[in-house]
Amino acid sequence: MTNLSSQPAANAQTPSTMDLVNKNLAKRYRAEKRFKAYGIAAILFGLACLVILFTDIVSKGHSAFLQTYVYLEVTYDADTLEIDDINNPQQIAIADYSALVKASLRQQFTDAKSRKERRNLYGLVSNGASFTLRESLEDNPALLNQTVGVWLLADDDVDTYYKSRGDDKADAFVGRLVPKQVAWIETWITNQQIKKRFNTTFFTSGDSREPEQAGILGAMAGSLFTLLVTIILSFPIGVAAAVYLEEYAPKNKLTDFIEVNINNLAAVPSIIFGLLGLAIFIGYFEMHRSLPLVGGLVLSLMTLPTIIISSRAAIKSVPPSIRDAALGLGASKMQVILHHVLPLSMPGMLTGAIIGFAQALGETAPLLMIGMVAFIVDIPGGISDPSTVLPVQIFLWSDSPERAFIERTSAAIMVLLAFLITMNTFAILLRNRLERRW
Amino acid sequence: MNTSMLLVIAIIMMAMAFFLGRKRAITVAGGNHGIRNLNSLPGYYGTLSALWCGIPSLLILALWVIFDDYIIIQIIIQELPTSSQALSESELGLLLNTVANIALNNSSTLVAEPFIIEAADRLNGLKSISQMALSVVILCVAMGLALFSWLRVNTQLKARVKVENVFKIVLLLCASIAVFTTAGIVFSVIFESIKFFQSVPFFDFVFGLQWSPQMAIRADQIGGSGAFGAVPLFAGTMLISVIAMIIAVPAGLMAAIYLSEYASPKVRTIVKPALEVLAGVPTVVYGFFAALTVAPYLRDTGSMFGLSVSSESALAAGLVMGVMIIPFISSLSDDVINAVPQSLRDGSLGLGATHSETIKQVIIPAALPGIVGGILLAVSRAIGETMIVVMAAGLAANLTANPLESVTTVTVQIVTLLVGDQEFNSPKTLSAFALGLMLFLITLALNSIALMVVKKYREQYE
Amino acid sequence: MNENDPQISQDITNLITVGNAFSEHAKMSMRNVNVFYADKQAIHDVSLDIGKNEVVAMIGPSGCGKSTFLRCMNRMNDTIDSCRIEGDFRLEEDDIYHPNQDVVALRARVGIVFQKPNPFPKSIYDNVAYGPKVHGLASSKTDLDEIVETSLVRAGLWNEVKDRLTAAGTGLSGGQQQRLCIARTIAVGPEVILMDEPCSALDPIATAKIEELIAELSQNFTIAIVTHSMQQAARVSQRTAYFHMGKLIEVNDTKKVFTNPEHELTEAYITGRFG
């Protein structure tokens, strides 16, 4: 570097500059590598959490899609059922079918002598089994006084035991089962009198205190009605508000105030909306608790800011040249909006709205406030029937002590996630279509 | 005719008014060829007629439905025996409930005093009169207005301008719903809170160290005196939020930096949506995960090291909440980092700074206001988060900074106090609204500051 | 001359550079450079020397590749993923694109000033001190103060800002900002300064100041400047290189290029027939 001597000022610095730079280089590159590693670690941490969360839910919940059934020889004994006229539907309806199950159980396991032992024995079969028997007799009255083999719903303790058993008896989760009950179940297993079938009950019935009879249909219907109310209210209002703010609103204090309000509302905790619903809709307007109508109203207010914000973004993305072109042809402002702006921004608005609705579908806290936590067995038929929703059902079940409810909770979560993922995927597809257009 | 029937009729009348108005406009203009003489297209005349006919009728319908119950009940109360009128508010409410039940069932099987039966009959009578009157009023108003608007159609009428004005007003009303919602929130929590502060002094609530909202059932119960000191709740909320932020801020920020500065487009398109899935998972699912997987795991691990970890530890709730907030922070920071102009990166790289030096010393300082705003929003979200803490945190109001112990939070208490049946006027129930008010004010302040900071930041680089 | 319009009459694929592209005292020498953005070729077989303490101006119509070429000289194009570079770049004897050549160290020797002034959102002092700090050039606070002061003095900014060194660099006027960026660049003590249209965002008075500054800096530094303005090239440079559609058409003494260009494309450009 001697040839640099012709540069008087640089001379003082240059030789030392490169030495200094080179001296520090290794250290600086180590810092660079470390920094990059932190970034990768952060991402891996996030992804790992996602994977752990999903595998945990699936591993806990997948077994709920199968349900244990027990094969029993049941005699439709007319005397036990107290049916003297097979053509009388009343008699068939009120007959005591659980007595048939009990008789069949006693017949198979004669070692159940004491009252307590017998009660344990009867406990192995779900009390839902009698409905199955009634239905089959209603369908086919000729069964009366016949003996047939039927697959009956097992109790949740049996279900848990059988599912956790695997090949080795020692692995099984015994729980509340007494040794004698375990012995009986083992007899069934040896006789191949027990098997797992697809759990249709889970998808076709409402809530129940008995895990083996509990299903999510009621909660799904409740979610559907609640979401319907939310969609019908929040989408048109949200779009209208967005149109006003983007196309009409003058730049003044009122508009600023509305904007600030909307942005703030979007970040207000959801439980506050629950308090609003409780105080206004239930306290002031005296609506009933647990209604999808009220839930939908609350969720609409909660979703509205999200929809307004995304709709505004969609309207903003319509090029001004299109408005100018329409205005130049003599169209009025309303015509420009209805004929051009709205159709062009609709995919964007729908994308934002669907994401908002997915959030509403997964929301729990505000619905707890307005009483959608009640234990409701019946499947709601409309927006004014008391009901619960899927996330609240998950919350309720997760609190239940029975082990069989854990797998059902996880299964319900899987169903909920499936809905959410479908909705979000749809939104993403819509967004991609939109992006291709401009 | 019931209300929904009337609604349908009003809508049919509107449709009729539309067609009549349109037809009248064409006739006035002198047939299809004369449309040019009209001020606006015939459709606008039709729409205007429909609006004139429909809006007042629907307004009357709505007001009637809202107020007729109240008026009828007032009449019933007037006619009750004086002894009943002197009853306290709650007793009177019970009485009226009985009346309403009997009126609904139409049954005399219920044993009731004669004056109650009489009142029930009177209630049914008044209801049917009201319903009938409503039908007549609606029909008359709708028909009258339809006729009026039909007569007003002429070539000079600026139908389009009027319709557009109505359109604009409707849009403005929709936009103001956000303001009404905020007002609704404020009023719904403030009135109950004022009632609460009448029985519990404000300072005892804000600075009290004891929280046990259960009023004494037995005289010898300890802590059953109904202590409403909210400090343990705020402390618990802060503890869990701090744990969550300790997880979420570094992870979210570093993930955002890596994704926007280092990752190839391919990695970004896969990882970004994957992280966003975490944000889309409902909080009840996180709550389940925290309560049934993380908390037992922490307890077992803790006991392996000889630590006693509560099965409702603040740590479990905080950890899971932190994971939930990671994508929130990462997507906000991502936006903010991408808003930093490329020229600053070039400037720093051109001087020979390494990539990480550029990020640490130029990009992050430049993006700092935006990042801080995002973190504030995340804190507000952590404070207001409900389901995770309801399911994974405890109910006991411990004043502790030990994350292994169980604490409770503001949101947990709101839920516990308000879920299920409750007497509306006990301090226990009202305290939930006071907590709600505090929660609303705190989050509102955080959000306002955050949104302002972020807005300022964005304007700087626009 | 219409029938001879060079744009129409000449097939530019077979052009070779005319004039004097090479220098006896080359500080930087580039040979047979080809640059591609994905599939598109932006630079076609360009060879050029920048002599020591020389100011070389690069001119040409928009999109002719002059900025791309400049950015390749301190590997700023490394940040663009789709960019691929072929050819030989040398800073004195060192191969700039050699796998062992450290890009950070390279940029400490070859500084760059960008088109739009881009001061960091920090104080004036911190802006200038940034480079020395990241490279660890100052062993003490006094050292750093001295570097900052000399750099600002040499950038002709010292008198205007010495009383408000802690004020934000972004608060200066456009011309001052650009001089701050130049001060920031020379604070690292580079041997070569690349300037990418440094005056295009400035008003005429600020431009005049920067041009003066370039003349002064050329005493100590080797400078390559891309410019849109032919007048500027004429005022500040000793040699001028004319680029056209990714090719280097002509390199000659600035005077010769503007008074008596060898190539008709150059002539067409400087007489304003396209550009």
Side-chain angles (χ1 to χ4, degrees):
Chain A
M1 297 233 169
T2 44
N3 52 0
L4 287 172
S5 54
S6 61
Q7 303 175 3
N11 189 23
Q13 274 187 12
T14 315
S16 64
T17 300
M18 282 327 292
D19 292 346
L20 286 168
V21 168
N22 287 328
K23 199 180 88 193
N24 290 326
L25 266 183
K27 208 172 93 196
R28 289 169 67 193
Y29 277 116
R30 277 201 301 278
E32 170 82 20
K33 265 197 190 133
R34 255 198 322 272
F35 189 73
K36 215 170 154 180
Y38 293 148
I40 295 175
I43 286 176
L44 289 182
F45 176 71
L47 294 181
C49 289
L50 185 69
V51 171
I52 292 171
L53 180 67
F54 275 75
T55 39
D56 182 59
I57 301 286
V58 172
S59 69
K60 281 196 176 115
H62 70 96
S63 53
F65 294 109
L66 293 176
Q67 177 62 41
T68 308
Y69 284 79
V70 175
Y71 183 84
L72 289 180
E73 299 274 342
V74 176
T75 310
Y76 289 91
D77 184 35
D79 294 338
T80 325
L81 290 173
E82 296 174 359
I83 295 176
D84 45 30
D85 177 12
I86 189 59
N87 295 320
N88 184 346
Q90 179 92 33
Q91 277 189 357
I92 296 184
I94 61 160
D96 179 15
Y97 294 91
S98 58
L100 301 184
V101 179
K102 288 175 185 168
S104 162
L105 285 167
R106 275 197 309 272
Q107 203 179 357
Q108 182 174 13
F109 299 110
T110 45
D111 56 340
K113 294 277 190 308
S114 73
R115 229 191 146 104
K116 202 175 157 199
E117 278 177 342
R118 283 202 176 159
R119 205 167 47 234
N120 284 337
L121 179 61
Y122 301 154
L124 293 181
V125 175
S126 164
N127 57 16
S130 40
F131 300 114
T132 321
L133 293 179
R134 190 179 74 198
E135 273 165 31
S136 51
L137 188 63
E138 275 169 351
D139 288 348
N140 183 8
L143 285 176
L144 198 65
N145 287 326
Q146 304 262 326
T147 300
V148 283
V150 279
W151 286 98
L152 293 174
L153 196 57
D155 188 66
D156 61 302
D157 289 330
V158 180
D159 185 47
T160 309
Y161 178 87
Y162 185 55
K163 279 175 183 168
S164 61
R165 185 177 178 275
D167 293 328
D168 186 7
K169 200 175 143 183
D171 295 340
F173 178 83
V174 176
R176 291 180 298 185
L177 294 170
V178 297
K180 201 116 195 204
Q181 284 177 309
V182 173
W184 291 325
I185 299 169
E186 287 297 330
T187 319
W188 277 339
I189 294 170
T190 343
N191 294 350
Q192 293 189 323
Q193 246 182 293
I194 191 165
K195 72 168 180 188
K196 285 183 276 190
R197 276 207 244 163
F198 181 70
N199 189 356
T200 43
T201 320
F202 186 68
F203 294 98
T204 54
S205 54
D207 198 5
S208 167
R209 299 273 185 225
E210 301 297 327
E212 74 275 4
Q213 293 175 54
I216 55 168
L217 186 62
M220 281 203 289
S223 273
L224 177 75
F225 292 129
T226 310
L227 199 59
L228 222 55
V229 174
T230 310
I231 292 173
I232 288 171
L233 286 177
S234 63
F235 188 63
I237 295 179
V239 170
V243 169
Y244 178 78
L245 290 173
E246 281 301 314
E247 301 283 338
Y248 283 104
K251 271 245 164 281
N252 61 19
K253 288 255 160 66
L254 177 72
T255 311
D256 278 354
F257 182 62
I258 294 177
E259 281 207 58
V260 169
N261 245 300
I262 291 171
N263 289 335
N264 269 318
L265 270 187
V268 164
S270 60
I271 189 168
I272 301 278
F273 286 95
L275 287 178
L276 167 82
L278 179 63
I280 305 275
F281 298 131
I282 292 177
Y284 187 74
F285 286 116
E286 303 193 333
M287 295 183 180
H288 294 290
R289 283 165 186 275
S290 316
L291 301 189
L293 175 64
V294 183
L297 278 170
V298 170
L299 292 184
S300 302
L301 293 182
M302 199 193 82
T303 323
L304 207 51
T306 320
I307 293 181
I308 295 177
I309 291 170
S310 64
S311 299
R312 289 185 68 178
I315 293 174
K316 260 197 197 119
S317 74
V318 175
S321 58
I322 289 182
R323 289 184 190 84
D324 293 347
L327 285 172
L329 288 172
S332 71
K333 185 122 199 164
M334 187 170 102
Q335 287 168 327
V336 174
I337 292 166
L338 294 179
H339 299 170
H340 301 282
V341 175
L342 280 186
L344 288 175
S345 53
M346 198 44 85
M349 291 181 176
L350 282 175
T351 307
I354 292 170
I355 290 171
F357 297 144
Q359 253 170 33
L361 181 61
E363 198 53 71
T364 321
L367 302 180
L368 298 183
M369 298 285 96
I370 54 156
M372 292 190 94
V373 275
F375 172 73
I376 289 153
V377 180
D378 296 325
I379 288 150
I383 58 168
S384 51
D385 287 349
S387 58
T388 184
V389 294
L390 212 40
V392 177
Q393 186 73 76
I394 290 166
F395 170 65
L396 285 172
W397 280 353
S398 73
D399 237 11
S400 303
E402 287 93 345
R403 202 180 138 101
F405 266 128
I406 294 179
E407 64 174 31
R408 275 167 179 77
T409 314
S410 306
I413 288 175
M414 285 160 74
V415 173
L416 177 62
L417 287 178
F419 276 120
L420 294 181
I421 289 170
T422 316
M423 285 172 82
N424 281 308
T425 315
F426 188 64
I428 289 168
L429 290 180
L430 214 65
R431 182 164 63 193
N432 290 347
R433 235 195 77 194
L434 173 84
E435 272 172 0
R436 247 178 268 142
R437 215 145 115 208
W438 292 126
Chain B
M1 265 184 274
N2 60 20
T3 316
S4 44
M5 190 69 185
L6 275 173
L7 198 66
V8 173
I9 287 178
I11 289 168
I12 292 172
M13 299 279 289
M14 279 177 78
M16 268 161 54
F18 174 82
F19 286 111
L20 284 175
R22 207 176 72 130
K23 205 162 164 228
R24 169 83 175 160
I26 297 172
T27 323
V28 166
N32 276 328
H33 299 290
I35 287 178
R36 280 181 173 278
N37 301 330
L38 285 172
N39 179 283
S40 318
L41 286 174
Y44 282 107
Y45 288 94
T47 315
L48 190 62
S49 303
L51 290 174
W52 257 337
C53 154
I55 290 177
S57 331
L58 292 177
L59 264 179
I60 293 174
L61 183 65
L63 290 175
W64 198 294
V65 168
I66 291 172
F67 288 110
D68 77 333
D69 267 0
Y70 180 76
I71 294 167
I72 289 174
I73 287 190
Q74 288 309 313
I75 295 172
I76 298 277
I77 292 176
Q78 290 298 316
E79 291 173 359
L80 284 176
T82 25
S83 61
S84 307
Q85 283 183 31
L87 288 171
S88 77
E89 205 176 304
S90 55
E91 283 171 310
L92 193 62
L94 268 176
L95 185 73
L96 287 172
N97 245 338
T98 327
V99 173
N101 276 333
I102 292 176
L104 267 183
N105 290 333
N106 239 348
S107 60
S108 46
T109 50
L110 279 162
V111 187
E113 291 172 59
F115 78 89
I116 289 184
I117 308 265
E118 201 177 301
D121 287 343
R122 179 84 176 125
L123 183 66
N124 280 337
L126 283 173
K127 271 193 175 165
S128 61
I129 290 173
S130 151
Q131 205 55 247
M132 231 146 37
L134 176 61
S135 313
V136 171
V137 168
I138 294 282
L139 281 176
C140 288
V141 167
M143 278 201 271
L145 286 170
L147 185 70
F148 173 68
S149 57
W150 187 77
L151 286 173
R152 275 198 59 182
V153 172
N154 65 53
T155 49
Q156 303 307 310
L157 182 69
K158 289 180 176 161
R160 185 180 55 74
V161 175
K162 287 181 192 253
V163 168
E164 297 214 340
N165 280 338
V166 173
F167 181 68
K168 190 175 154 185
I169 289 168
V170 170
L171 293 186
L172 173 62
L173 284 178
C174 289
S176 6
I177 283 189
V179 180
F180 293 133
T181 310
T182 311
I185 289 175
V186 171
F187 285 124
S188 58
V189 291
I190 239 170
F191 282 132
E192 314 287 327
S193 299
I194 289 172
K195 276 193 226 162
F196 172 72
F197 289 129
Q198 278 164 359
S199 54
V200 177
F202 178 72
F203 285 102
D204 289 4
F205 175 71
V206 178
F207 297 113
L209 300 180
Q210 262 285 320
W211 179 266
S212 53
Q214 299 303 329
M215 293 301 223
I217 300 167
R218 299 191 314 271
D220 57 336
Q221 230 171 358
I222 305 162
S225 52
F228 292 100
V231 170
L233 309 190
F234 292 121
T237 309
M238 283 324 292
L239 178 61
I240 290 179
S241 304
V242 165
I243 297 169
M245 297 321 280
I246 288 174
I247 301 287
V249 172
L253 195 55
M254 285 311 296
I257 289 172
Y258 187 84
L259 285 179
S260 59
E261 295 289 329
Y262 287 104
S264 65
K266 214 184 210 168
V267 171
R268 203 161 38 230
T269 48
I270 297 168
V271 172
K272 243 183 124 174
L275 283 181
E276 275 165 16
V277 171
L278 275 179
V281 173
T283 52
V284 69
V285 177
Y286 281 113
F288 177 76
F289 182 63
L292 273 92
T293 306
V294 178
Y297 175 77
L298 288 178
R299 194 189 51 216
D300 296 347
T301 323
S303 65
M304 234 158 62
F305 293 103
L307 289 168
S308 83
V309 182
S310 160
S311 57
E312 290 174 334
S313 64
L315 189 60
L319 280 177
V320 173
M321 197 189 281
V323 171
M324 181 192 84
I325 293 176
I326 289 175
F328 191 74
I329 294 211
S330 106
S331 76
L332 283 174
S333 318
D334 197 45
D335 287 353
V336 165
I337 289 170
N338 283 330
V340 174
Q342 181 64 30
S343 67
L344 288 185
R345 290 183 183 83
D346 282 352
S348 174
L349 292 174
L351 288 172
T354 62
H355 206 148
S356 65
E357 284 161 356
T358 304
I359 294 166
K360 279 188 282 194
Q361 298 182 35
V362 176
I363 296 177
I364 299 290
L368 199 61
I371 292 173
V372 169
I375 291 175
L376 285 182
L377 281 179
V379 170
S380 137
R381 171 171 269 222
I383 290 175
E385 169 49 41
T386 308
M387 289 323 290
I388 294 179
V389 281
V390 165
M391 294 165 85
L395 284 175
N398 296 325
L399 190 54
T400 174
N402 180 356
L404 303 182
E405 276 182 44
S406 150
V407 293
T408 191
T409 73
V410 175
T411 48
V412 171
Q413 290 303 317
I414 295 178
V415 170
T416 341
L417 293 169
L418 288 184
V419 167
D421 298 323
Q422 77 265 144
E423 326 119 78
F424 232 98
N425 277 331
S426 79
K428 187 181 142 194
T429 314
L430 292 176
S431 69
F433 285 92
L435 288 176
L437 177 66
M438 301 312 275
L439 181 64
F440 178 65
L441 291 180
I442 292 170
T443 50
L444 186 71
L446 281 172
N447 297 339
S448 306
I449 297 170
L451 291 171
M452 226 159 58
V453 170
V454 173
K455 198 177 161 205
K456 275 241 170 74
Y457 168 76
R458 294 212 167 271
E459 279 165 0
Q460 186 191 335
Y461 290 119
E462 251 165 22
Chain C
M1 280 249 328
N2 250 353
E3 69 275 20
N4 288 336
D5 191 314
Q7 264 189 307
I8 302 160
S9 64
Q10 280 202 287
D11 179 11
I12 63 159
T13 45
N14 295 319
L15 279 179
I16 41 162
T17 310
V18 299
N20 181 18
F22 306 115
S23 164
E24 283 175 38
H25 307 285
K27 183 73 185 175
M28 292 191 77
S29 51
M30 280 64 69
R31 294 289 178 271
N32 309 101
V33 175
N34 287 292
V35 180
F36 304 84
Y37 288 116
D39 300 332
K40 211 180 135 273
Q41 189 162 6
I43 305 273
H44 298 261
D45 197 32
V46 168
S47 299
L48 179 67
D49 279 354
I50 315 281
K52 184 177 298 170
N53 288 28
E54 187 182 34
V55 179
V56 174
M58 303 178 187
I59 58 170
S62 311
C64 65
K66 54 193 192 301
S67 282
T68 300
F69 187 71
L70 188 83
R71 287 170 67 95
C72 289
M73 287 164 66
N74 81 339
R75 291 178 57 176
M76 279 309 286
N77 277 2
D78 283 15
T79 54
I80 300 165
D81 290 334
S82 62
C83 183
R84 186 162 56 84
I85 296 151
E86 289 170 3
D88 193 40
F89 286 77
R90 280 183 194 275
L91 173 60
E92 291 179 335
E93 293 310 308
D94 302 330
D95 180 357
I96 291 176
Y97 282 89
H98 191 276
N100 290 340
Q101 172 63 50
D102 189 88
V103 66
V104 167
L106 168 73
R107 287 175 188 158
R109 295 177 71 189
V110 184
I112 186 163
V113 176
F114 296 92
Q115 189 169 355
K116 233 183 98 206
N118 56 351
F120 303 133
K122 297 168 178 278
S123 70
I124 294 169
Y125 181 93
D126 286 338
N127 260 287
V128 182
Y130 178 75
K133 263 191 206 157
V134 296
H135 290 297
L137 300 183
S139 51
S140 68
K141 175 83 171 99
T142 9
D143 259 14
L144 195 60
D145 289 348
E146 202 187 307
I147 295 177
V148 170
E149 185 177 336
T150 36
S151 309
L152 282 169
V153 167
R154 288 163 83 185
L157 198 59
W158 177 248
N159 286 328
E160 291 161 59
V161 301
K162 64 182 173 202
D163 301 324
R164 44 174 177 149
L165 287 175
T166 50
T170 43
L172 298 173
S173 74
Q176 288 174 323
Q177 285 191 9
Q178 194 62 301
R179 277 181 284 151
L180 178 63
C181 293
I182 293 173
R184 190 173 69 184
T185 307
I186 56 185
V188 182
E191 297 157 41
V192 180
I193 300 176
L194 309 174
M195 295 187 173
D196 188 357
E197 302 192 29
C199 301
S200 66
L202 305 180
D203 60 68
I205 295 170
T207 304
K209 278 199 175 154
I210 303 268
E211 284 176 6
E212 257 172 59
L213 178 58
I214 293 171
E216 268 174 51
L217 291 175
S218 67
Q219 317 267 313
N220 304 324
F221 300 98
T222 303
I223 296 174
I225 178 169
V226 163
T227 174
H228 225 79
S229 142
M230 283 176 274
Q231 289 82 353
Q232 185 171 70
R235 284 193 295 265
V236 301
S237 69
Q238 279 96 55
R239 279 197 303 149
T240 296
Y242 173 66
F243 283 75
H244 185 90
M245 295 182 78
K247 290 183 178 272
L248 182 54
I249 305 299
E250 173 171 355
V251 188
N252 259 321
D253 285 351
T254 300
K255 214 176 213 170
K256 184 166 165 42
V257 169
F258 286 104
T259 52
N260 184 22
E262 265 182 62
H263 200 282
E264 48 189 334
L265 272 170
T266 319
E267 193 190 345
Y269 180 69
I270 62 165
T271 53
R273 263 189 289 146
F274 53 81

